[in-house]
Amino acid sequence: MSSSPIQSVCVYCGSSPGNDPAYLEAGKTLGRSLGEAGLRLVYGGGTKGIMGAVAQGTMEAGGKVTGIIPRFLMNKEATEKTLGQLDELVVTEDMHERKHRMFEESDAFVTLPGGIGTLEEVIEIMTWAQLGQHTKPIVLANINGFWDPLSTLLDHMRDAGFIHTAHRVRPLIIDAPDAIVPAILAAAGEHGEGDARVIERL
């Protein structure tokens, strides 16, 4: 995978499983895809819920996993035993440091279903893209239409005249979890890292 500009993929997702079994299954499928593609998973370090499923899928497929978790969440979103199974564990002092470190470590971002924290993370990454701070691919894993309301809201904001650089903000929306990694690699392979045209296509 050394020839690809995509080496590490950040996954944002819920620390809870949600009430649709498809969410956990999507997490495990995405993790497995990352591992099989030789990509490192960068994620919030949780070992429960969808977070745990993504990490488990990646490790089972032989992939490397970097967990980044604030100290105060270690006992809430994870257990010490399972944290010890990760290839790398980064403990931060607060959420701000965690998010910045996740951004620095990642070449692309995938958002699975989750709650307010998950939404806040992907919105911040989209904001940075709009401001021209990065051109890394952003994917919404639209499992069973989970992110349809967000997509509608983005369209509404654009139509109302508040998003003037929609080509930078518009994430790639993918329904099938096993299609996410190929789409990221294809986008990166066509234009290379840092090329704004990649994001414009998304």
Side-chain angles (χ1 to χ4, degrees):
M1 298 303 302
S2 59
S3 61
S4 172
I6 306 294
Q7 301 292 321
S8 299
V9 175
C10 178
V11 176
Y12 300 127
C13 58
S15 57
S16 302
N19 56 18
D20 186 338
Y23 300 154
L24 275 181
E25 189 54 42
K28 199 156 187 186
T29 298
L30 175 59
R32 203 160 44 235
S33 296
L34 291 170
E36 289 170 354
L39 300 173
R40 174 180 286 272
L41 166 67
V42 176
Y43 84 122
T47 57
K48 303 173 182 177
I50 303 175
M51 276 192 183
V54 177
Q56 183 184 0
T58 304
M59 290 187 289
E60 286 178 359
K64 301 292 186 184
V65 176
T66 296
I68 303 175
I69 190 168
R71 196 175 305 281
F72 75 93
L73 282 181
M74 285 183 72
N75 293 322
K76 185 177 180 183
E77 292 187 351
T79 64
E80 232 172 282
K81 180 185 176 187
T82 45
L83 282 173
Q85 297 171 355
L86 305 181
D87 296 285
E88 182 183 12
L89 178 66
V90 177
V91 180
T92 65
E93 292 308 313
D94 54 39
M95 293 291 283
H96 179 76
E97 184 186 348
R98 174 205 223 179
K99 290 189 295 181
H100 192 70
R101 185 68 184 269
M102 290 171 80
F103 172 77
E104 288 180 329
E105 295 284 340
S106 306
D107 303 312
F109 304 91
V110 177
T111 308
L112 286 162
I116 293 172
T118 302
L119 176 63
E120 189 261 347
E121 287 172 320
V122 69
I123 291 296
E124 184 167 60
I125 288 298
M126 289 166 60
T127 302
W128 293 353
Q130 179 177 253
L131 296 173
Q133 297 302 297
H134 75 92
T135 57
K136 300 175 181 181
I138 303 169
V139 173
L140 292 179
N142 198 31
I143 311 306
N144 288 346
F146 184 87
W147 292 113
D148 285 348
L150 176 58
S151 180
T152 299
L153 178 60
L154 291 173
D155 288 340
H156 171 67
M157 288 173 163
R158 185 196 64 217
D159 294 343
F162 290 103
I163 300 180
H164 305 291
T165 51
H167 62 281
R168 290 184 185 168
V169 178
R170 196 69 185 160
L172 180 61
I173 299 174
I174 300 181
D175 298 333
D178 57 357
I180 293 170
V181 169
I184 290 173
L185 294 177
E190 281 179 25
H191 301 298
E193 188 176 25
D195 190 328
R197 286 175 299 167
V198 175
I199 302 301
E200 285 173 7
R201 279 203 332 111
L202 307 184

